Amino acid sequence: MKKGRVRALLPIGVFLASFLGMGLLSGDFNTMPAVVGFLIALAVAFFQNPSLNFEEKIKVITKGVGDENIITMCLVFLAAGGFSGAVRAAGGVDSTVNFCLSILPSSVAVMGLMLIGCFISLSMGTSMGTIAALSPIAAGISEKTGFSAALCIGAVVCGAMFGDNLSMISDTTIAAVKTQGCDMKDKFKANFLIVLPAAVVSLLIFYLITRHAEYTVSGDLEYHLLKILPYLIVLAGALIGFNVFAVLISGTVLSLAVGVATGEIGVFQIFTSVGDGVTGMYDITVISILVACVVALMREYGGIDCILYFIKKRIRGPKGAQVGIAALTLLVDLATANNTVAIVIAGPIAKEVAHEYRIEPKRTASLLDIFASVGQGLLPYGAQLLLAAQAAETAPFEIMPYLYYPWMMGISALIFIFFGKQQKV
């Protein structure tokens, strides 16, 4: 087993130091965009190892970026963005929210927020979009029931993290699946069995503490089932196992057709709608490319071997390996405050560990996605909680006591690691 070289990890250390340092100094963790941090890390990597000249290093990163999984992941990001833009422009988000609200009784007001959040995030594939869509409704329910805004928005965040972790078009799911080389439907099934108990327990907690609430939703809850159809088609197609590109493109075309037919989108606006969605995926696509460059150079210099050596010396057997993967993912997410970036960084290392201990790729992908979401759902400086706090006009720390689902998800995953059956590959 190669020991590798600790100094080869300097680029990622520089990224973490600069990213966290700027956030702590300024009090705002959005001060330094992740893409800038990784550009700095890449520059540091290029200055290392003078035994390789510039041209040779370019060949190394070209090979890393040209990996099939990296290219596929970036293309899926863009396709998912196109679908999100199309379905949003077609009114699918508003119709889905209104439909869910119209069928839920008032006795499950706050629990209903989490349920709606689960469905919307599972359909949209974005926790941020779900929080943005449901925040006004959470505020309204808070006013009508007398429950705190922090409690109501906490239920929304719990539902948002459910879909962020499971959705077929979530960038975290795409990253986890592509870095581990497994089928999306297999990862979904393995992941769903792990998080379902956590979701049920969280829903029960919300129900028990708010079951006596009564409220009436004011305003028009108009919805069109036709506008919800693209979500259902994409979800069903992905579960059946259709090619992810075929599913996303079909969903995009169907969304545009529905939008034009219902008058939500003009004929000459369809390309703009798709373009807006694709543009929203530019950041994570560029970050994925930069991370692939940095990881390629780190691997060439012996950095990946160093991490693997460190992990393998401290774990015993497949269960210990899974705990190591979970801990690595959680720590990277705590440092980067971005669950997708955490998966992209930890993915290649997790794949090496999984291969060594014969862990199924679908299990590894599930652990990556779960523990990145656990961290992201609890970070007071993460984008999700910052957005939720802004919407609820409260502080992130006031919302954190009500984030039952991320805690339950982590606990459930650990139970599955230690007591669940593990099929070796």
Side-chain angles (χ1 to χ4, degrees):
M1 183 167 53
K2 297 180 180 179
K3 289 187 177 181
R5 297 181 176 88
V6 176
R7 62 178 179 273
L9 301 175
L10 180 62
I12 200 66
V14 169
F15 166 75
L16 295 177
S18 58
F19 184 85
L20 288 176
M22 290 298 294
L24 292 171
L25 289 173
S26 66
D28 181 3
F29 282 87
N30 292 318
T31 300
M32 173 177 283
V35 66
V36 176
F38 280 114
L39 279 172
I40 295 172
L42 182 58
V44 171
F46 263 105
F47 279 110
Q48 285 185 294
N49 198 354
S51 62
L52 293 179
N53 60 38
F54 182 80
E55 288 74 17
E56 289 172 327
K57 291 174 182 176
I58 289 292
K59 290 180 180 179
V60 171
I61 66 171
T62 301
K63 185 177 179 180
V65 174
D67 181 86
E68 178 185 354
N69 289 326
I70 297 298
I71 296 298
T72 303
M73 179 170 62
C74 291
L75 291 176
V76 173
F77 281 154
L78 299 179
F83 170 72
S84 297
V87 77
R88 187 179 296 109
V93 175
D94 292 336
S95 280
T96 301
V97 172
N98 290 343
F99 172 73
C100 292
L101 279 178
S102 66
I103 63 175
L104 287 173
S106 61
S107 59
V108 293
V110 179
M111 186 184 84
L113 281 172
M114 180 177 169
L115 276 173
I116 297 171
C118 288
F119 179 72
I120 293 177
S121 59
L122 194 64
S123 304
M124 293 175 62
T126 165
S127 54
M128 294 293 286
T130 302
I131 293 171
L134 287 180
S135 292
I137 298 170
I141 290 178
S142 173
E143 293 176 2
K144 294 178 182 300
T145 59
F147 290 119
S148 69
L151 168 63
C152 294
I153 200 69
V156 170
V157 175
C158 288
M161 297 314 300
F162 177 86
D164 195 305
N165 169 237
L166 278 177
S167 176
M168 301 294 183
I169 60 173
S170 169
D171 48 5
T172 59
T173 297
I174 295 167
V177 167
K178 293 306 175 184
T179 57
Q180 302 309 302
C182 64
D183 291 333
M184 196 168 288
K185 64 175 182 178
D186 292 335
K187 183 265 185 188
F188 178 88
K189 293 174 183 177
N191 200 342
F192 184 75
L193 291 175
I194 296 173
V195 302
L196 180 60
V200 171
V201 171
S202 301
L203 287 168
L204 285 175
I205 292 174
F206 279 120
Y207 173 72
L208 290 175
I209 64 177
T210 64
R211 63 187 182 278
H212 299 302
E214 292 186 5
Y215 75 103
T216 302
V217 178
S218 59
D220 186 12
L221 290 179
E222 180 182 359
Y223 63 87
H224 297 281
L225 293 177
L226 188 62
K227 295 180 181 179
I228 304 174
L229 184 61
Y231 282 142
L232 300 178
I233 293 295
V234 168
L235 183 60
L239 284 173
I240 292 171
F242 291 151
N243 180 274
V244 63
F245 288 108
V247 170
L248 289 172
I249 292 173
S250 299
T252 302
V253 173
L254 180 59
S255 297
L256 294 174
V258 169
V260 172
T262 57
E264 292 286 344
I265 308 175
V267 175
F268 297 106
Q269 295 177 317
I270 58 177
F271 300 110
T272 303
S273 302
V274 175
D276 290 342
V278 171
T279 302
M281 286 290 191
Y282 281 177
D283 278 357
I284 189 58
T285 303
V286 173
I287 287 173
S288 298
I289 294 172
L290 290 174
V291 169
C293 293
V294 174
V295 170
L297 289 174
M298 285 172 52
R299 179 180 288 110
E300 181 71 19
Y301 302 161
I304 302 300
D305 288 333
C306 177
I307 295 174
L308 290 174
Y309 180 82
F310 179 83
I311 293 176
K312 290 175 183 178
K313 290 288 286 185
R314 287 160 177 78
I315 59 180
R316 298 291 184 271
K319 292 181 179 180
Q322 292 176 70
V323 173
I325 291 170
L328 173 67
T329 308
L330 185 59
L331 288 173
V332 175
D333 184 72
L334 292 176
T336 60
N338 187 304
N339 45 345
T340 308
V341 173
I343 292 171
V344 172
I345 293 174
I349 302 170
K351 188 174 183 179
E352 296 282 352
V353 174
H355 178 73
E356 175 74 17
Y357 290 93
R358 299 174 61 194
I359 302 170
E360 291 181 294
K362 63 181 181 181
R363 172 64 72 91
T364 311
S366 297
L367 292 176
L368 284 169
D369 206 344
I370 287 171
F371 281 93
S373 295
V374 168
Q376 197 63 25
L378 295 172
L379 285 181
Y381 54 86
Q384 285 82 356
L385 270 188
L386 290 175
L387 176 62
Q390 181 182 13
E393 297 182 353
T394 186
F397 290 101
E398 293 183 25
I399 302 173
M400 291 176 67
Y402 305 108
L403 299 179
Y404 306 117
Y405 178 68
W407 285 109
M408 294 298 120
M409 181 166 51
I411 293 171
S412 180
L414 289 175
I415 291 173
F416 267 78
I417 288 174
F418 288 108
F419 301 104
K421 292 182 178 180
Q422 169 63 36
Q423 296 179 350
K424 293 185 177 181
V425 294

PDB file of all heavy atoms in Angstrom, residues 3 30 50 66 72 95 111 128 165 184 194 209 212 214 272 279 288 302 319 331 340 347 392 395 402-403 420 425:
ATOM      1  N   LYS A   3       2.199   4.947   0.514  1.00  0.00           N
ATOM      2  CA  LYS A   3       1.939   5.991   1.512  1.00  0.00           C
ATOM      3  C   LYS A   3       1.564   7.318   0.868  1.00  0.00           C
ATOM      4  O   LYS A   3       0.872   8.134   1.471  1.00  0.00           O
ATOM      5  CB  LYS A   3       3.176   6.181   2.390  1.00  0.00           C
ATOM      6  CG  LYS A   3       3.436   5.027   3.347  1.00  0.00           C
ATOM      7  CD  LYS A   3       4.569   5.381   4.296  1.00  0.00           C
ATOM      8  CE  LYS A   3       4.782   4.265   5.315  1.00  0.00           C
ATOM      9  NZ  LYS A   3       5.864   4.600   6.263  1.00  0.00           N
ATOM     10  N   ASN A  30     -20.277  33.584   1.561  1.00  0.00           N
ATOM     11  CA  ASN A  30     -20.433  33.770   0.119  1.00  0.00           C
ATOM     12  C   ASN A  30     -19.436  34.791  -0.417  1.00  0.00           C
ATOM     13  O   ASN A  30     -19.466  35.141  -1.593  1.00  0.00           O
ATOM     14  CB  ASN A  30     -21.864  34.227  -0.213  1.00  0.00           C
ATOM     15  CG  ASN A  30     -22.874  33.139   0.070  1.00  0.00           C
ATOM     16  OD1 ASN A  30     -22.640  31.978  -0.232  1.00  0.00           O
ATOM     17  ND2 ASN A  30     -24.000  33.510   0.670  1.00  0.00           N
ATOM     18  N   PRO A  50       8.077  20.307  -9.586  1.00  0.00           N
ATOM     19  CA  PRO A  50       8.834  20.821 -10.732  1.00  0.00           C
ATOM     20  C   PRO A  50       9.395  19.727 -11.649  1.00  0.00           C
ATOM     21  O   PRO A  50       9.885  20.023 -12.732  1.00  0.00           O
ATOM     22  CB  PRO A  50       9.964  21.619 -10.079  1.00  0.00           C
ATOM     23  CG  PRO A  50      10.109  21.041  -8.705  1.00  0.00           C
ATOM     24  CD  PRO A  50       8.736  20.629  -8.298  1.00  0.00           C
ATOM     25  N   GLY A  66     -11.177  14.620 -19.037  1.00  0.00           N
ATOM     26  CA  GLY A  66     -11.767  13.822 -20.111  1.00  0.00           C
ATOM     27  C   GLY A  66     -12.349  12.503 -19.671  1.00  0.00           C
ATOM     28  O   GLY A  66     -12.870  11.745 -20.499  1.00  0.00           O
ATOM     29  N   THR A  72     -19.903  13.101 -18.586  1.00  0.00           N
ATOM     30  CA  THR A  72     -21.322  12.757 -18.477  1.00  0.00           C
ATOM     31  C   THR A  72     -21.996  13.576 -17.383  1.00  0.00           C
ATOM     32  O   THR A  72     -23.116  14.078 -17.552  1.00  0.00           O
ATOM     33  CB  THR A  72     -21.484  11.259 -18.166  1.00  0.00           C
ATOM     34  OG1 THR A  72     -20.831  10.499 -19.188  1.00  0.00           O
ATOM     35  CG2 THR A  72     -22.955  10.868 -18.125  1.00  0.00           C
ATOM     36  N   SER A  95     -48.191  25.290  -9.623  1.00  0.00           N
ATOM     37  CA  SER A  95     -49.284  24.319  -9.654  1.00  0.00           C
ATOM     38  C   SER A  95     -49.060  23.191  -8.662  1.00  0.00           C
ATOM     39  O   SER A  95     -50.000  22.730  -7.998  1.00  0.00           O
ATOM     40  CB  SER A  95     -49.433  23.741 -11.069  1.00  0.00           C
ATOM     41  OG  SER A  95     -50.141  24.616 -11.914  1.00  0.00           O
ATOM     42  N   MET A 111     -46.630  19.685   9.331  1.00  0.00           N
ATOM     43  CA  MET A 111     -46.203  18.433   8.736  1.00  0.00           C
ATOM     44  C   MET A 111     -46.437  18.459   7.230  1.00  0.00           C
ATOM     45  O   MET A 111     -45.643  17.931   6.438  1.00  0.00           O
ATOM     46  CB  MET A 111     -46.956  17.258   9.362  1.00  0.00           C
ATOM     47  CG  MET A 111     -46.452  15.899   8.899  1.00  0.00           C
ATOM     48  SD  MET A 111     -47.430  14.521   9.553  1.00  0.00           S
ATOM     49  CE  MET A 111     -48.762  14.474   8.345  1.00  0.00           C
ATOM     50  N   MET A 128     -32.749  24.563  -2.833  1.00  0.00           N
ATOM     51  CA  MET A 128     -32.849  26.021  -2.843  1.00  0.00           C
ATOM     52  C   MET A 128     -34.158  26.469  -3.502  1.00  0.00           C
ATOM     53  O   MET A 128     -34.857  27.354  -3.002  1.00  0.00           O
ATOM     54  CB  MET A 128     -31.651  26.620  -3.576  1.00  0.00           C
ATOM     55  CG  MET A 128     -30.318  26.391  -2.892  1.00  0.00           C
ATOM     56  SD  MET A 128     -30.166  27.271  -1.323  1.00  0.00           S
ATOM     57  CE  MET A 128     -29.935  28.952  -1.932  1.00  0.00           C
ATOM     58  N   ASN A 165     -31.496  15.049  -1.672  1.00  0.00           N
ATOM     59  CA  ASN A 165     -30.750  13.808  -1.520  1.00  0.00           C
ATOM     60  C   ASN A 165     -31.213  12.703  -2.472  1.00  0.00           C
ATOM     61  O   ASN A 165     -30.410  11.871  -2.894  1.00  0.00           O
ATOM     62  CB  ASN A 165     -30.879  13.333  -0.066  1.00  0.00           C
ATOM     63  CG  ASN A 165     -30.375  11.926   0.151  1.00  0.00           C
ATOM     64  OD1 ASN A 165     -31.115  11.062   0.620  1.00  0.00           O
ATOM     65  ND2 ASN A 165     -29.136  11.666  -0.180  1.00  0.00           N
ATOM     66  N   MET A 184     -28.609   5.105 -11.748  1.00  0.00           N
ATOM     67  CA  MET A 184     -29.358   6.033 -10.913  1.00  0.00           C
ATOM     68  C   MET A 184     -30.507   5.347 -10.181  1.00  0.00           C
ATOM     69  O   MET A 184     -30.764   5.616  -9.004  1.00  0.00           O
ATOM     70  CB  MET A 184     -29.876   7.189 -11.770  1.00  0.00           C
ATOM     71  CG  MET A 184     -30.335   8.388 -10.977  1.00  0.00           C
ATOM     72  SD  MET A 184     -30.607   9.838 -12.011  1.00  0.00           S
ATOM     73  CE  MET A 184     -28.925  10.285 -12.420  1.00  0.00           C
ATOM     74  N   ILE A 194     -32.837   3.706   3.099  1.00  0.00           N
ATOM     75  CA  ILE A 194     -32.100   4.248   4.243  1.00  0.00           C
ATOM     76  C   ILE A 194     -32.801   5.473   4.828  1.00  0.00           C
ATOM     77  O   ILE A 194     -32.916   5.612   6.053  1.00  0.00           O
ATOM     78  CB  ILE A 194     -30.658   4.605   3.837  1.00  0.00           C
ATOM     79  CG1 ILE A 194     -29.896   3.340   3.433  1.00  0.00           C
ATOM     80  CG2 ILE A 194     -29.927   5.317   4.969  1.00  0.00           C
ATOM     81  CD1 ILE A 194     -28.519   3.613   2.860  1.00  0.00           C
ATOM     82  N   ILE A 209     -46.058  17.758  17.524  1.00  0.00           N
ATOM     83  CA  ILE A 209     -45.893  19.064  18.178  1.00  0.00           C
ATOM     84  C   ILE A 209     -46.807  20.129  17.592  1.00  0.00           C
ATOM     85  O   ILE A 209     -46.895  21.236  18.140  1.00  0.00           O
ATOM     86  CB  ILE A 209     -44.425  19.537  18.110  1.00  0.00           C
ATOM     87  CG1 ILE A 209     -43.984  19.768  16.664  1.00  0.00           C
ATOM     88  CG2 ILE A 209     -43.500  18.551  18.795  1.00  0.00           C
ATOM     89  CD1 ILE A 209     -42.558  20.303  16.536  1.00  0.00           C
ATOM     90  N   HIS A 212     -52.610  20.220  16.905  1.00  0.00           N
ATOM     91  CA  HIS A 212     -53.823  20.953  17.287  1.00  0.00           C
ATOM     92  C   HIS A 212     -54.009  22.243  16.480  1.00  0.00           C
ATOM     93  O   HIS A 212     -54.923  23.013  16.769  1.00  0.00           O
ATOM     94  CB  HIS A 212     -53.783  21.283  18.775  1.00  0.00           C
ATOM     95  CG  HIS A 212     -53.735  20.067  19.655  1.00  0.00           C
ATOM     96  ND1 HIS A 212     -54.699  19.094  19.628  1.00  0.00           N
ATOM     97  CD2 HIS A 212     -52.801  19.669  20.573  1.00  0.00           C
ATOM     98  CE1 HIS A 212     -54.385  18.139  20.496  1.00  0.00           C
ATOM     99  NE2 HIS A 212     -53.242  18.463  21.078  1.00  0.00           N
ATOM    100  N   GLU A 214     -55.013  24.840  13.503  1.00  0.00           N
ATOM    101  CA  GLU A 214     -56.058  24.995  12.493  1.00  0.00           C
ATOM    102  C   GLU A 214     -55.786  26.273  11.728  1.00  0.00           C
ATOM    103  O   GLU A 214     -55.405  27.283  12.313  1.00  0.00           O
ATOM    104  CB  GLU A 214     -57.445  25.050  13.139  1.00  0.00           C
ATOM    105  CG  GLU A 214     -57.886  23.736  13.772  1.00  0.00           C
ATOM    106  CD  GLU A 214     -59.317  23.801  14.270  1.00  0.00           C
ATOM    107  OE1 GLU A 214     -59.971  24.850  14.026  1.00  0.00           O
ATOM    108  OE2 GLU A 214     -59.778  22.831  14.884  1.00  0.00           O
ATOM    109  N   THR A 272     -35.477  30.802 -24.385  1.00  0.00           N
ATOM    110  CA  THR A 272     -35.017  31.609 -23.248  1.00  0.00           C
ATOM    111  C   THR A 272     -35.253  30.878 -21.936  1.00  0.00           C
ATOM    112  O   THR A 272     -34.403  30.896 -21.034  1.00  0.00           O
ATOM    113  CB  THR A 272     -35.761  32.955 -23.221  1.00  0.00           C
ATOM    114  OG1 THR A 272     -35.558  33.635 -24.451  1.00  0.00           O
ATOM    115  CG2 THR A 272     -35.246  33.821 -22.078  1.00  0.00           C
ATOM    116  N   THR A 279     -28.169  28.072 -17.707  1.00  0.00           N
ATOM    117  CA  THR A 279     -27.244  29.050 -17.134  1.00  0.00           C
ATOM    118  C   THR A 279     -27.098  28.874 -15.627  1.00  0.00           C
ATOM    119  O   THR A 279     -26.009  29.063 -15.075  1.00  0.00           O
ATOM    120  CB  THR A 279     -27.732  30.483 -17.433  1.00  0.00           C
ATOM    121  OG1 THR A 279     -27.844  30.659 -18.848  1.00  0.00           O
ATOM    122  CG2 THR A 279     -26.771  31.515 -16.881  1.00  0.00           C
ATOM    123  N   SER A 288     -17.017  21.484 -11.207  1.00  0.00           N
ATOM    124  CA  SER A 288     -16.726  20.067 -11.419  1.00  0.00           C
ATOM    125  C   SER A 288     -15.490  19.882 -12.296  1.00  0.00           C
ATOM    126  O   SER A 288     -14.659  18.996 -12.050  1.00  0.00           O
ATOM    127  CB  SER A 288     -17.926  19.374 -12.068  1.00  0.00           C
ATOM    128  OG  SER A 288     -19.058  19.424 -11.234  1.00  0.00           O
ATOM    129  N   GLY A 302       0.649  11.936  -5.823  1.00  0.00           N
ATOM    130  CA  GLY A 302       0.586  11.000  -4.703  1.00  0.00           C
ATOM    131  C   GLY A 302      -0.345  11.417  -3.584  1.00  0.00           C
ATOM    132  O   GLY A 302      -0.365  10.796  -2.518  1.00  0.00           O
ATOM    133  N   LYS A 319     -17.528  -2.197   7.036  1.00  0.00           N
ATOM    134  CA  LYS A 319     -18.302  -1.261   7.860  1.00  0.00           C
ATOM    135  C   LYS A 319     -17.461  -0.053   8.246  1.00  0.00           C
ATOM    136  O   LYS A 319     -17.931   1.086   8.193  1.00  0.00           O
ATOM    137  CB  LYS A 319     -18.830  -1.964   9.101  1.00  0.00           C
ATOM    138  CG  LYS A 319     -19.899  -3.012   8.795  1.00  0.00           C
ATOM    139  CD  LYS A 319     -20.422  -3.666  10.059  1.00  0.00           C
ATOM    140  CE  LYS A 319     -21.501  -4.696   9.713  1.00  0.00           C
ATOM    141  NZ  LYS A 319     -22.038  -5.373  10.923  1.00  0.00           N
ATOM    142  N   LEU A 331     -17.092  15.945   6.545  1.00  0.00           N
ATOM    143  CA  LEU A 331     -16.062  16.933   6.852  1.00  0.00           C
ATOM    144  C   LEU A 331     -15.819  17.870   5.670  1.00  0.00           C
ATOM    145  O   LEU A 331     -15.660  19.085   5.854  1.00  0.00           O
ATOM    146  CB  LEU A 331     -14.759  16.232   7.227  1.00  0.00           C
ATOM    147  CG  LEU A 331     -14.746  15.546   8.601  1.00  0.00           C
ATOM    148  CD1 LEU A 331     -13.465  14.751   8.791  1.00  0.00           C
ATOM    149  CD2 LEU A 331     -14.905  16.575   9.712  1.00  0.00           C
ATOM    150  N   THR A 340     -22.841  19.426  -3.184  1.00  0.00           N
ATOM    151  CA  THR A 340     -22.427  18.893  -4.477  1.00  0.00           C
ATOM    152  C   THR A 340     -20.912  18.931  -4.631  1.00  0.00           C
ATOM    153  O   THR A 340     -20.285  17.965  -5.083  1.00  0.00           O
ATOM    154  CB  THR A 340     -23.076  19.690  -5.631  1.00  0.00           C
ATOM    155  OG1 THR A 340     -24.484  19.748  -5.427  1.00  0.00           O
ATOM    156  CG2 THR A 340     -22.798  19.022  -6.967  1.00  0.00           C
ATOM    157  N   GLY A 347     -15.828  12.005  -3.922  1.00  0.00           N
ATOM    158  CA  GLY A 347     -16.213  10.884  -4.783  1.00  0.00           C
ATOM    159  C   GLY A 347     -15.076   9.983  -5.245  1.00  0.00           C
ATOM    160  O   GLY A 347     -15.140   8.756  -5.085  1.00  0.00           O
ATOM    161  N   ALA A 392     -37.612  33.707   6.534  1.00  0.00           N
ATOM    162  CA  ALA A 392     -38.380  33.705   7.781  1.00  0.00           C
ATOM    163  C   ALA A 392     -38.073  34.917   8.651  1.00  0.00           C
ATOM    164  O   ALA A 392     -38.666  35.066   9.722  1.00  0.00           O
ATOM    165  CB  ALA A 392     -38.086  32.429   8.564  1.00  0.00           C
ATOM    166  N   ALA A 395     -32.821  34.131  12.504  1.00  0.00           N
ATOM    167  CA  ALA A 395     -31.426  33.703  12.416  1.00  0.00           C
ATOM    168  C   ALA A 395     -31.365  32.211  12.131  1.00  0.00           C
ATOM    169  O   ALA A 395     -32.245  31.449  12.553  1.00  0.00           O
ATOM    170  CB  ALA A 395     -30.690  34.016  13.717  1.00  0.00           C
ATOM    171  N   TYR A 402     -35.238  22.755  14.788  1.00  0.00           N
ATOM    172  CA  TYR A 402     -36.361  22.084  14.122  1.00  0.00           C
ATOM    173  C   TYR A 402     -35.933  21.278  12.891  1.00  0.00           C
ATOM    174  O   TYR A 402     -36.782  20.780  12.155  1.00  0.00           O
ATOM    175  CB  TYR A 402     -37.410  23.119  13.717  1.00  0.00           C
ATOM    176  CG  TYR A 402     -37.884  23.958  14.878  1.00  0.00           C
ATOM    177  CD1 TYR A 402     -37.518  25.293  14.990  1.00  0.00           C
ATOM    178  CD2 TYR A 402     -38.678  23.405  15.880  1.00  0.00           C
ATOM    179  CE1 TYR A 402     -37.932  26.069  16.071  1.00  0.00           C
ATOM    180  CE2 TYR A 402     -39.099  24.171  16.963  1.00  0.00           C
ATOM    181  CZ  TYR A 402     -38.719  25.500  17.046  1.00  0.00           C
ATOM    182  OH  TYR A 402     -39.128  26.248  18.114  1.00  0.00           O
ATOM    183  N   LEU A 403     -34.643  21.140  12.706  1.00  0.00           N
ATOM    184  CA  LEU A 403     -34.146  20.395  11.541  1.00  0.00           C
ATOM    185  C   LEU A 403     -34.008  18.922  11.915  1.00  0.00           C
ATOM    186  O   LEU A 403     -32.903  18.363  11.969  1.00  0.00           O
ATOM    187  CB  LEU A 403     -32.815  20.986  11.072  1.00  0.00           C
ATOM    188  CG  LEU A 403     -32.883  22.452  10.628  1.00  0.00           C
ATOM    189  CD1 LEU A 403     -31.507  22.956  10.212  1.00  0.00           C
ATOM    190  CD2 LEU A 403     -33.877  22.632   9.480  1.00  0.00           C
ATOM    191  N   GLY A 420     -27.229  -3.280   8.781  1.00  0.00           N
ATOM    192  CA  GLY A 420     -27.813  -3.675   7.522  1.00  0.00           C
ATOM    193  C   GLY A 420     -26.977  -4.708   6.788  1.00  0.00           C
ATOM    194  O   GLY A 420     -25.773  -4.865   7.041  1.00  0.00           O
ATOM    195  N   VAL A 425     -19.204  -6.779  -3.866  1.00  0.00           N
ATOM    196  CA  VAL A 425     -19.088  -6.832  -5.317  1.00  0.00           C
ATOM    197  C   VAL A 425     -17.854  -7.649  -5.706  1.00  0.00           C
ATOM    198  O   VAL A 425     -16.957  -7.857  -4.917  1.00  0.00           O
ATOM    199  CB  VAL A 425     -18.989  -5.413  -5.909  1.00  0.00           C
ATOM    200  CG1 VAL A 425     -20.278  -4.680  -5.673  1.00  0.00           C
ATOM    201  CG2 VAL A 425     -17.833  -4.644  -5.303  1.00  0.00           C
TER     202      VAL A 425
END
